[in-house]
Amino acid sequence: MPSCDEPVRALRELAPLSITRTGPRTHLVDFGQNLAGRVRLAVPAQDPGTRVTVRHGERLEDDGGLHTANLRTADATDVLITAGGEALFEPRFTYHGFRYAEIDGLESLGEVRAVVLHSDTRWTGAFECSDPEINQLQSNIEWGQRGNFVSVPTDCPQRDERLGWMADAQVFLPTACLNADVAAFFTKWLHDVRDAQTPEGGFPNVAPRLTGVAEEGAPGWADAGVLVPWHLYEVYGDARFLDVDSMGAWVDFVLRHNPDLIWRQRTGPHYADWLAPGPATPREVVATAFFHRSADLTARAARVRGRHADAERFERLAADIRTAFIKTFAHPDGTVSGDTQTGYLLALAFGLLPSSLAPGAARRLAELVHEHGPQAGFLGVNLLCPVLSATGRPDLAHALLRRTDPPSWLYQVRHGATTVWERWDGEGAPSMNSFNHYAFGSVGEWLYSGVAGIGQARGSVAYRDLVIRPLPGDLTWARASYESVRGRIAVSWERTSQGFLLDVSVPPGASATVHLPDGQTHRVPSGDHHFASVRGDTP
């Protein structure tokens, strides 16, 4: 069966930022950008049998040497034995994750380039704003996507792993869809996910499945077998993403192991809220929240596919799980067991709390964020800014975005990051310290939908019903565009002496509700529209 996704191609080349001689025949090349790819080296004429070695790394040690401890067992080393005369060295059957290359064996270097490799997904989105550091963050997110979308959505390109971890993919997917057209890329990957599903219905934690690694059934990881298809359907409007049999088999698998509807039974590994810098969210809270989310989305998928009996069954199940969640974990003041940011984020984002308790949960979430900064790991980070904005605290969302102390996105930027790190602060054991990991880059979705204001209404598919709601914070301007399946969506806003100015482009076949920061609301059809607010520009 031919692959339906775009091939991996060499898509750009980077010249060195600097070349430093570190020995008589040794040179350290800095390409200025962490990337996935290979080095192409023009080798001057050498004696036959000359050994030229190229080692790769993401960072340097304090003494200026190449840092390779985080590669684990990956050699990340290419070797050329010259035949005599000039040569052009470029390995074709491997790739590496690196910013730096140490080239040993040559007294002088010919032309050297970093050749960037990734799946040739068409770039569809762009975002920039008045803060150069946020623009660098956006660049880091984009380069993390390039470096980890290499045939499958990998977790990292540099070490001995490169696995299609399911949670990483599902939390980053909304950002990925805005940056690039990933419909074909994820269509192919969903074949891997479903091929790896067990006869009992268990989804893997990595896809393609690697026997003996991670197995299946981790909450938030295996649930990607439901969450990913649903989001792809919402973005691209193609119901073929929705395999109700596969999705339903997963939900029923969890139900068989947890008939009381609180996901306590371990169906496989449990990674909780991976790499959260704060207190651990109770595993049962995380698991049950995702159990409800998968049941709810499977019900919606069944409705879309016209399978109404299945939809009714999963709707009842989702309602029952929600009731069990409230009874077990929600308290009269709106707090959630564990009292963690991710616990509140999941409960609020997934609609698990009644209207009487949600305001209390939102207040407590805001208190925790104000006191501690971000404390979410892989399963909560993508929800931080969207949930704060949706619950009336875009000011806190912007405070997180502009924060520079660890943990924060801009801490990474200020410490020279050119891709998003696996850990908030880049510290920890080298064996778990990738510097090109896209999960925490899932804030990119909020740059488009929150800061710039490009979103779609609940129930809308393929951006038929847009919601344009810029949240300026203390920025002075922002602009974003996205080539949707209906056409180009664009938003540009700025603060001027005349007030808040907003330009919006709505594609054919779509309409938009435009919310200005001063409270004005306008309903507009497709076309280009200009708005001005002179009564103030803060929410």
Side-chain angles (χ1 to χ4, degrees), residues 226 230 247 251 289-303 311 314-315 317-319 321 349-351 458:
V226 175
W230 179 258
M247 299 162 78
V251 175
F290 276 100
F291 185 19
H292 170 269
R293 184 64 168 167
S294 284
D296 179 46
L297 295 184
T298 299
R300 299 189 205 182
R303 286 285 182 206
F314 288 114
E315 285 166 356
L317 176 60
I321 297 169
F350 295 172
R458 180 177 175 83

Side-chain angles (χ1 to χ4, degrees), residues 160-387:
D160 58 349
E161 194 167 353
R162 296 179 179 174
L163 296 177
W165 285 97
M166 301 267 280
D168 305 46
Q170 65 95 352
V171 300
F172 188 71
L173 180 64
T175 298
C177 288
L178 289 164
N179 283 335
D181 179 358
V182 295
F185 178 84
F186 274 98
T187 295
K188 179 267 180 188
W189 186 64
L190 285 176
H191 290 321
D192 297 332
V193 171
R194 289 160 184 162
D195 285 346
Q197 191 172 18
T198 67
E200 293 79 21
F203 278 123
N205 297 320
V206 298
R209 178 188 289 274
L210 185 61
T211 302
V213 176
E215 300 304 333
E216 73 277 333
W221 270 254
D223 291 286
V226 175
L227 275 62
V228 168
W230 179 258
H231 188 77
L232 292 170
Y233 165 70
E234 284 192 312
V235 170
Y236 298 111
D238 190 340
R240 290 175 296 179
F241 285 116
L242 304 175
D243 186 334
V244 177
D245 289 333
S246 175
M247 299 162 78
W250 162 247
V251 175
D252 286 336
F253 173 75
V254 179
L255 177 60
R256 285 195 301 274
H257 286 274
N258 302 277
D260 68 349
L261 307 184
I262 299 298
W263 189 348
R264 296 188 178 94
Q265 178 66 35
R266 293 188 62 172
T267 57
H270 197 318
Y271 303 111
D273 186 25
W274 187 250
L275 295 183
T281 305
R283 293 184 170 191
E284 293 82 2
V285 171
V286 171
T288 306
F290 276 100
F291 185 19
H292 170 269
R293 184 64 168 167
S294 284
D296 179 46
L297 295 184
T298 299
R300 299 189 205 182
R303 286 285 182 206
V304 171
R305 299 307 296 262
R307 295 175 54 166
H308 301 297
D310 290 325
E312 290 174 2
R313 180 170 77 86
F314 288 114
E315 285 166 356
R316 289 193 299 270
L317 176 60
D320 290 343
I321 297 169
R322 181 173 184 267
T323 298
F325 183 96
I326 294 168
K327 180 179 179 180
T328 307
F329 303 122
H331 306 295
D333 59 354
T335 57
V336 174
S337 294
D339 194 38
T340 67
Q341 291 182 17
T342 293
Y344 293 112
L345 291 167
L346 295 175
L348 291 164
F350 295 172
L352 282 161
L353 299 176
S355 58
S356 60
L357 298 183
R363 283 194 298 272
R364 183 55 183 154
L365 170 64
E367 291 171 357
L368 291 172
V369 170
H370 179 75
E371 292 170 8
H372 304 290
Q375 291 185 318
F378 278 25
L379 294 183
V381 65
N382 63 315
L383 304 175
L384 259 172
C385 292
V387 169

Side-chain angles (χ1 to χ4, degrees), residues 466 488 490 503-512 524-531:
L466 292 170
R488 184 173 184 267
D503 290 301
V504 177
S505 294
V506 180
S511 56
V524 297
S526 62
D528 297 330
H529 307 277
H530 177 77
F531 305 92

Side-chain angles (χ1 to χ4, degrees), residues 352-471:
L352 282 161
L353 299 176
S355 58
S356 60
L357 298 183
R363 283 194 298 272
R364 183 55 183 154
L365 170 64
E367 291 171 357
L368 291 172
V369 170
H370 179 75
E371 292 170 8
H372 304 290
Q375 291 185 318
F378 278 25
L379 294 183
V381 65
N382 63 315
L383 304 175
L384 259 172
C385 292
V387 169
L388 287 170
S389 299
T391 54
R393 295 303 307 268
D395 59 318
L396 279 179
H398 272 278
L400 289 183
L401 182 63
R402 306 293 289 276
R403 178 184 169 100
T404 57
D405 293 331
S408 71
W409 292 286
L410 295 191
Y411 175 83
Q412 299 179 15
V413 168
R414 291 197 171 185
H415 283 74
T418 60
T419 46
V420 176
W421 298 346
E422 180 176 20
R423 295 175 178 270
W424 279 110
D425 58 4
E427 303 295 332
S431 62
M432 285 298 298
N433 212 359
S434 159
F435 295 98
N436 190 352
H437 232 81
Y438 55 61
F440 284 137
S442 56
V443 69
E445 185 274 337
W446 188 75
L447 298 181
Y448 286 93
S449 68
V451 176
I454 297 175
Q456 62 175 328
R458 180 177 175 83
S460 172
V461 174
Y463 292 90
R464 178 183 294 276
D465 188 0
L466 292 170
V467 175
I468 307 298
R469 190 192 303 267
L471 301 173

Side-chain angles (χ1 to χ4, degrees), residues 13-225:
E13 298 177 7
L14 298 182
L17 185 65
S18 67
I19 301 176
T20 304
R21 182 183 290 274
T22 58
R25 297 174 65 86
T26 306
H27 311 265
L28 183 68
V29 183
D30 177 5
F31 292 102
Q33 174 63 57
N34 202 0
L35 60 97
R38 59 196 181 216
V39 169
R40 186 176 70 236
L41 174 64
V43 180
Q46 304 291 315
D47 293 334
T50 299
R51 183 183 180 92
V52 180
T53 303
V54 183
R55 300 169 62 228
H56 304 77
E58 296 183 292
R59 304 191 86 182
L60 300 179
E61 301 284 5
D62 291 340
D63 64 3
L66 196 67
H67 175 74
T68 59
N70 71 327
L71 303 181
R72 301 199 295 218
T73 64
D75 287 335
T77 301
D78 300 327
V79 177
L80 168 69
I81 307 298
T82 64
E86 297 180 350
L88 184 64
F89 180 46
E90 181 179 354
R92 298 300 180 93
F93 298 105
T94 189
Y95 76 96
H96 308 286
F98 66 100
R99 170 175 172 170
Y100 301 93
E102 181 190 82
I103 302 173
D104 181 70
L106 297 172
E107 291 185 4
S108 62
L109 296 184
E111 183 180 76
V112 58
R113 294 288 185 268
V115 180
V116 180
L117 298 172
H118 57 88
S119 292
D120 192 8
T121 54
R122 182 175 62 93
W123 218 250
T124 55
F127 169 87
E128 59 180 334
C129 69
S130 56
D131 188 329
E133 290 186 314
I134 296 175
N135 294 336
Q136 181 62 51
L137 170 62
Q138 171 66 14
S139 175
N140 293 0
I141 293 167
E142 293 175 0
W143 276 99
Q145 180 167 337
R146 293 186 185 103
N148 284 291
F149 278 32
V150 183
S151 185
V152 299
T154 60
D155 59 326
C156 55
Q158 76 295 103
R159 67 189 183 210
D160 58 349
E161 194 167 353
R162 296 179 179 174
L163 296 177
W165 285 97
M166 301 267 280
D168 305 46
Q170 65 95 352
V171 300
F172 188 71
L173 180 64
T175 298
C177 288
L178 289 164
N179 283 335
D181 179 358
V182 295
F185 178 84
F186 274 98
T187 295
K188 179 267 180 188
W189 186 64
L190 285 176
H191 290 321
D192 297 332
V193 171
R194 289 160 184 162
D195 285 346
Q197 191 172 18
T198 67
E200 293 79 21
F203 278 123
N205 297 320
V206 298
R209 178 188 289 274
L210 185 61
T211 302
V213 176
E215 300 304 333
E216 73 277 333
W221 270 254
D223 291 286

